[in-house]
Amino acid sequence: MSSIRKLPSGKYQAQIRPVSGGKQLTKTSTKRYVVEQWLNEQTAALVTGTFTHPRAGRETFASYYAEWSQRQVWESNTMQAMALTVKYASFRDLPIKSITRAHVEQWIKLMQKGTGTSRKQPLAPGTITGRLRVARTIFRAALAEKKIPSDPTLGVKLPRLRKAEASMQIPTPAQVAAWLDHSESHWRALIALCAFGGMRLGEASALQVGDIDFLKRTIKIQRQVQRKGAEGGRPEIRLPKYGSERTIAAADGLLTELSKHIALLGLQGQPDAWLFTTGKEPAHHNTVGYAWRRSRDAAKLTGFTLHDLRHFYASGLIAAGCDISTVQHALGHSAPSVTLNTYTHLWPKAEDRTRAAAQGMFDAVFNPADESLTNKTRRSPQTRA
């Protein structure tokens, strides 16, 4: 219900009750058109669902997040990613209701330049995109709670992401062999797990002897090692990324490498023993990072990352004819779309399949299977007299 009345003082007062039985809002002015305009704005906001209480959204972006995050059910790594984004958001101390698209665009620009980031270095386009998604999640929560009238991240342009085929580095088999040959004996198995099991660093670091079933030729991925805290710290054992718990069908060669590793460290009969350790704890990211970089540099493969071995594994599965579902499960992706978005350029294109099928028909006609028995070679059309 809304109305405009003239007060004894001669001023005009508009009044509206947004919620039936709720508190009434008023606007007073000496000019009638001012209160009419205000009343029209409030009515339109109620109709379109963009109404916010005048007193709502006064808390800062950071304080709203602090209160809202306590009500969320998140994995610890998700919470860390959210907290890190909020900590370095350039508008974190502004009232959430006053944050505009211009503020968000300026934040994007600062991240591109490396200003206001944890390492004081420009962030990659993918990282910037991830942080904007985090901020958007928070703004949309505030929008749902009627704290803000609209989402200021809408329409914000992001740095262009490089295409997967341009940005992805896949080492050759010879380069992987050199990487393994130059690794220290007690780290060789970890590099092999990444190259021939497609494991992430944290997954490989968290393996225990009991996760390997030599009879069934499988390896279970059921935990990961992550650094505690948003910016590093002591190792922490967590569940794998969402959808990443899996059982890998291990190649015999990989199992042989793991068997040698277990014998090297004397871990036989110790199912709870960590395969890779830093003291009594599972291997820390810094220790593992130093080890694989040292072997990589010794093999003169500077420029590759440990994650490139995961790409090597995926490319091998695809080249062998594995379908999307198989590759998704082997890599522990949460959905087939993740696998496709990352590796779609590695799957044979329609013209490749057409060409291969046509060649198969050609071989069936001119190089039949019983050719060796007849000892006759059927000439192709081009060679016939």
Side-chain angles (χ1 to χ4, degrees):
M1 178 180 290
S2 62
S3 62
I4 297 177
R5 62 173 179 166
K6 189 172 185 179
L7 301 175
S9 62
K11 295 182 178 181
Y12 294 93
Q13 185 181 73
Q15 48 193 4
I16 186 171
R17 197 182 304 276
V19 181
S20 179
K23 189 174 182 180
Q24 184 172 263
L25 303 178
T26 61
K27 172 74 173 180
T28 304
S29 175
T30 57
K31 299 178 180 179
R32 184 181 178 90
Y33 78 88
V34 172
V35 297
E36 286 180 341
Q37 182 179 4
W38 176 85
L39 189 59
N40 290 336
E41 290 173 352
Q42 303 307 309
T43 302
L46 285 170
V47 172
T48 59
T50 59
F51 175 82
T52 59
H53 194 283
R55 295 180 182 176
R58 292 182 179 181
E59 64 265 55
T60 65
F61 179 77
S63 60
Y64 172 75
Y65 167 77
E67 186 276 327
W68 171 75
S69 64
Q70 297 303 312
R71 296 182 268 123
Q72 308 309 308
V73 181
W74 290 332
E75 295 289 342
S76 58
N77 54 342
T78 300
M79 182 168 288
Q80 289 179 12
M82 301 286 286
L84 185 64
T85 296
V86 173
K87 180 177 180 179
Y88 291 104
S90 57
F91 45 75
R92 68 183 307 275
D93 296 322
L94 294 178
I96 193 168
K97 191 174 184 179
S98 69
I99 299 172
T100 65
R101 175 174 168 175
H103 288 116
V104 178
E105 290 173 335
Q106 181 62 29
W107 176 48
I108 300 296
K109 196 69 177 178
L110 290 174
M111 286 191 286
Q112 280 186 296
K113 294 180 178 179
T115 306
T117 63
S118 59
R119 297 183 180 179
K120 307 298 181 183
Q121 295 178 351
L123 297 182
T127 304
I128 294 175
T129 299
R131 293 198 176 184
L132 180 69
R133 287 173 180 165
V134 168
R136 180 170 292 161
T137 299
I138 299 170
F139 280 121
R140 288 184 175 176
L143 181 62
E145 294 180 3
K146 304 297 183 183
K147 298 282 187 179
I148 56 177
S150 61
D151 177 4
T153 67
L154 290 178
V156 173
K157 291 185 177 181
L158 288 163
R160 183 176 297 177
L161 295 170
R162 294 181 67 193
K163 292 184 178 179
E165 55 265 40
S167 60
M168 184 178 295
Q169 294 188 106
I170 302 177
T172 65
Q175 288 172 324
V176 173
W179 199 332
L180 287 165
D181 289 342
H182 286 83
S183 63
E184 296 180 51
S185 57
H186 54 288
W187 291 114
R188 177 184 171 93
L190 186 140
I191 295 172
L193 284 166
C194 296
F196 307 113
M199 296 184 194
R200 303 173 178 92
L201 186 155
E203 294 172 344
S205 298
L207 278 181
Q208 295 179 336
V209 174
D211 296 326
I212 307 167
D213 191 324
F214 289 96
L215 293 178
K216 294 181 179 179
R217 297 188 297 172
T218 59
I219 302 173
K220 286 187 177 181
I221 306 298
Q222 48 193 352
R223 70 188 77 80
Q224 65 171 329
V225 176
Q226 289 293 330
R227 287 176 295 189
K228 191 172 184 178
E231 297 175 40
R234 294 187 62 187
E236 180 182 33
I237 306 301
R238 306 176 188 164
L239 290 173
K241 293 177 64 176
Y242 178 76
S244 291
E245 289 184 82
R246 61 197 186 278
T247 299
I248 296 175
D252 290 341
L254 177 57
L255 293 172
T256 298
E257 290 287 342
L258 293 172
S259 179
K260 291 179 180 178
H261 178 80
I262 291 172
L264 176 68
L265 300 184
L267 302 178
Q268 300 94 326
Q270 302 178 48
D272 296 330
W274 302 106
L275 286 178
F276 311 99
T277 61
T278 302
K280 295 182 179 180
E281 296 180 325
H284 192 283
H285 276 61
N286 291 343
T287 304
V288 176
Y290 176 73
W292 71 255
R293 284 192 296 271
R294 184 166 54 185
S295 59
R296 176 203 63 185
D297 295 345
K300 298 182 179 179
L301 300 175
T302 304
F304 286 106
T305 69
L306 193 66
H307 202 76
D308 292 331
L309 294 177
R310 181 170 160 86
H311 297 324
F312 170 78
Y313 176 70
S315 67
L317 296 182
I318 294 169
C322 293
D323 58 27
I324 295 170
S325 177
T326 300
V327 178
Q328 174 202 347
H329 177 76
L331 294 174
H333 286 157
S334 58
S337 59
V338 178
T339 309
L340 274 177
N341 290 340
T342 308
Y343 298 111
T344 186
H345 64 286
L346 297 180
W347 261 282
K349 303 296 187 291
E351 57 268 28
D352 296 325
R353 291 191 292 270
T354 301
R355 189 177 295 111
Q359 182 62 45
M361 290 184 282
F362 188 92
D363 292 340
V365 172
F366 295 104
N367 299 292
D370 61 348
E371 179 178 314
S372 60
L373 298 178
T374 61
N375 200 28
K376 295 179 180 179
T377 301
R378 186 173 296 169
R379 293 175 295 173
S380 67
Q382 292 86 346
T383 62
R384 290 178 179 174

